[in-house]
Amino acid sequence: MGRRADLSSPELQIFNHHLYELSKGMRPLALMTMTLEAASPVIARLQSRGIAHHIHEACPDRVNVVFGSRLAVQAVSSFMVGPLCGLSAEHDFMLGVLLGYDREMQCLRFLERRGDVVRPEPASIPPLAQTFTLVEEPRSLAL
């Protein structure tokens, strides 16, 4: 028997946090995986607020609820049709970037999934702080 999804449930606390980040423009999209029972109040709130969303079956007893920008949801729902582990490297990259994951890490993940060779950054490049020299401004003399 599943746990009752009330307003203090961890799922709804995370959902409220995602809504906050979406409202501040921190990310265009959020994704939550949960039981259908826990997803019911989340879906009801998305519908009542007119927030674009897409429900995707993750496995027989869990769903992915994707919500946020109407265009981002529309784009993701066009390719989120099977298991997430079955996404192409390109679709996995798009999903990760839209969810606000680190872009550099998403680039690395994309290249690895495609089987491309990832070249390490040259070690000879000095840190940024070493490329600049500080020049003091002349001090005015008090008369």
Side-chain angles (χ1 to χ4, degrees):
M1 181 180 223
R3 186 176 72 223
R4 182 177 169 270
D6 57 25
L7 290 175
S8 63
S9 73
E11 289 90 355
L12 287 180
Q13 291 175 359
I14 293 168
F15 172 67
N16 287 330
H17 181 74
H18 284 316
L19 286 180
Y20 173 79
E21 289 185 342
L22 289 167
S23 74
K24 297 298 180 187
M26 296 173 72
R27 66 181 73 233
L29 194 71
L31 180 145
M32 294 181 67
T33 303
M34 59 186 77
T35 65
L36 193 53
E37 180 184 11
S40 293
V42 167
I43 295 166
R45 190 169 309 163
L46 290 170
Q47 289 173 337
S48 72
R49 290 188 177 185
I51 297 173
H53 60 283
H54 172 71
I55 312 304
H56 170 261
E57 183 179 340
C59 58
D61 62 336
R62 298 178 73 75
V63 294
N64 292 317
V65 180
V66 181
F67 56 97
S69 153
R70 189 163 306 285
L71 290 175
V73 170
Q74 186 176 352
V76 168
S77 66
S78 73
F79 62 77
M80 191 184 275
V81 293
L84 294 182
C85 63
L87 291 177
S88 69
E90 291 80 8
H91 289 151
D92 180 81
F93 177 81
M94 286 174 53
L95 180 62
V97 169
L98 289 171
L99 290 171
Y101 296 170
D102 179 270
R103 288 176 182 87
E104 191 78 13
M105 295 299 290
Q106 283 304 113
C107 290
L108 178 62
R109 179 178 167 93
F110 170 76
L111 292 170
E112 287 175 344
R113 286 191 62 167
R114 293 243 335 229
D116 293 340
V117 176
V118 178
R119 296 186 187 118
E121 290 187 23
S124 63
I125 298 174
L128 186 59
Q130 294 177 3
T131 60
F132 295 100
T133 55
L134 293 175
V135 178
E136 289 188 30
E137 292 185 28
R139 294 183 186 178
S140 63
L141 298 174
L143 297 176

